[in-house]
Structure formats: C-alpha cells, structure tokens
Amino acid sequence: SQQGEEDPQALSIQEGENATMNCSYKTSINNLQWYRQNSGRGLVHLILIRSNEREKHSGRLRVTLDTSKKSSSLLITASRAADTASYFCATLASGAGSYQLTFGKGTKLSVIP
Amino acid sequence: GAGVSQTPSNKVTEKGKYVELRCDPISGHTALYWYRQSLGQGPEFLIYFQGTGAADDSGLPNDRFFAVRPEGSVSTLKIQRTERGDSAVYLCASSWTGFDEQFFGPGTRLTVL
C-alpha cells in the first residue's frame, strides 16, 4: 500500500519559475526522502530529512517537514528544463524493524523552456 | 564510484516461465532492497536484506517470489511461474544502514507475454 500522497499530480511551469510539490503521509516517521525519476527508470535521491528536522537545503532544492500535519514540501527554485521528471516522496516509518520506504504516486513536473 | 547495477535491463518472458533478476549493490552497503513499480505508480517494497539474511520479506506478493543474497553482496530476485500481472519495473536499492538514504539502480523492465 502507498502511504504518501503527492500534490499536485502534475505541474507545468516556465523555465526560471519556482516549483512546489507537497506530500502528505499517515503514520509516524523516522525520516522522509525525496526522489526524482526520469522516464520511469532509476530513482535519484535528492534529500533526506529526519523527523526532528524542519527544513533542509541542497542547491536549488528546499525541503520542509511538518510532523504535526504529517506533511512535507519540496521547492525547486529557478527551474530548468532538465528538472522535468517525476518527483516522489518516500517515508521510513518509525518503530523497530521497519526499514522499507513507502512511496507516493509522484508529481510529474514539466518545465517548459 | 560505481552505483547500483541491475541486469538485465529488459527481460521479456512467456507466462509460466521462471526468471531471475540480478542486483549488484554499492560496495560496502550492508542493506539491500527490492521494489516493484507499475506504470503510473510509485515503487512498492518487496524485500529487505541486512547482510545475508532477509530481515523483512513482508512485501513479497506470494510464494512465487523469492530472493537471495548468499554472500551479503549481490542479490537475485527469482520469480517462478510468471504471470502477466508480474510485468513491471523491478528496482533494487542499497544503503549503509536501514536508516540511511537508499540508492537505486536503473531497474529491470520485466514483460510477461
């Protein structure tokens, strides 16, 4: 079963604009990870944010986490055509013996040159 | 350094046949995971290895699916009596520990005719 829900399902923006994607989840987590996927093949890890963190940055990426609302957001600033891909959030549930990531269905981002 | 590799990249088989999918994780990573991704969906967890042992196989859909990691490095996912519903991209990932970011391979696209 899939825990996360990304919103929106699809997003189309002009190059240079910012893109914001949201993720909601249902259970308590140890950490939340964002991935990018091109053409339905391998996933590229973007950022991991732990449950005791509220915000992380990596280059043009900014991730926030609100555990009280069970939600996270991914902001891509100054988007480029090469950012066109599907973006997934994945949660690692808290609790002993749980190491599987649970993914949402993803947000399909199109950046128009 | 080398990332996670998977072979073959594509596999076409007939209903009822047996297939093996191979994963070579990043050197030194003790944790290894298999996921399955259907079109338009996020990856779904199948099995997690810590070292040589399957620590969590709760995602395997039925007893036709089996995976091994005999020496704690390379893993093989085995599917017996394949069915058309098994068609998907099978993704392998590895990480240092169960709490770290998971690095994914390019996947094997399995098509069952």
Side-chain angles (χ1 to χ4, degrees), chain B residues 4-93:
Chain B
V4 177
S5 62
Q6 292 185 247
T7 55
S9 56
N10 287 283
K11 176 71 176 176
V12 180
T13 191
E14 293 179 344
K15 181 174 179 295
K17 298 288 189 184
Y18 168 83
V19 297
E20 288 190 352
L21 311 179
R22 176 189 165 107
C23 172
D24 206 333
I26 292 172
S27 178
H29 280 189
T30 59
L32 184 146
Y33 315 78
W34 285 97
Y35 293 83
R36 178 168 73 172
Q37 186 176 23
S38 300
L39 195 62
Q41 303 292 317
E44 291 192 312
F45 169 80
L46 295 176
I47 188 168
Y48 157 62
F49 286 90
Q50 180 56 48
T52 60
D56 182 357
D57 64 358
S58 62
L60 295 178
N62 51 59
D63 61 5
R64 294 186 298 106
F65 288 75
F66 189 72
V68 295
R69 194 186 185 199
E71 296 177 359
S73 178
V74 170
S75 175
T76 304
L77 178 66
K78 308 179 181 196
I79 311 174
Q80 298 177 321
R81 304 183 305 279
T82 51
E83 299 177 357
R84 292 195 180 89
D86 297 336
S87 296
V89 175
Y90 289 80
L91 296 163
C92 176

Side-chain angles (χ1 to χ4, degrees), chain A residues 1-6 35 37 40-41 43 86-90 101-107, chain B residues 35-46 88-89 91 104:
Chain A
S1 64
Q2 299 194 298
Q3 168 173 224
E5 285 287 336
E6 286 92 345
Y35 287 85
Q37 186 176 45
R41 298 305 289 261
L43 289 92
S86 290
Y87 291 81
F88 293 90
C89 70
L101 287 177
T102 303
F103 286 81
K105 291 186 179 181
T107 292
Chain B
Y35 293 83
R36 178 168 73 172
Q37 186 176 23
S38 300
L39 195 62
Q41 303 292 317
E44 291 192 312
F45 169 80
L46 295 176
V89 175
L91 296 163
F104 282 78

Side-chain angles (χ1 to χ4, degrees), chain A:
Chain A
S1 64
Q2 299 194 298
Q3 168 173 224
E5 285 287 336
E6 286 92 345
D7 170 51
Q9 290 187 333
L11 179 61
S12 184
I13 59 174
Q14 296 287 330
E15 202 166 29
E17 293 181 338
N18 295 342
T20 299
M21 288 159 268
N22 303 297
C23 167
S24 59
Y25 57 91
K26 295 174 186 158
T27 62
S28 296
I29 62 170
N30 178 287
N31 65 57
L32 184 146
Q33 304 180 36
W34 283 91
Y35 287 85
R36 184 185 75 226
Q37 186 176 45
N38 294 87
S39 305
R41 298 305 289 261
L43 289 92
V44 174
H45 186 269
L46 298 176
I47 288 185
L48 180 153
I49 186 165
R50 302 194 188 279
S51 60
N52 61 350
E53 297 175 311
R54 292 296 167 258
E55 189 171 309
K56 281 189 91 167
H57 297 255
S58 176
R60 294 184 295 113
L61 306 180
R62 173 179 167 249
V63 167
T64 61
L65 178 65
D66 186 335
T67 53
S68 66
K69 295 181 179 177
K70 291 187 168 59
S71 68
S72 174
S73 68
L74 170 66
L75 169 67
I76 304 174
T77 60
S79 63
R80 305 167 181 168
D83 295 329
T84 295
S86 290
Y87 291 81
F88 293 90
C89 70
T91 53
L92 184 71
S94 59
S98 173
Y99 301 110
Q100 56 178 275
L101 287 177
T102 303
F103 286 81
K105 291 186 179 181
T107 292
K108 187 173 263 192
L109 173 67
S110 298
V111 180
I112 303 163

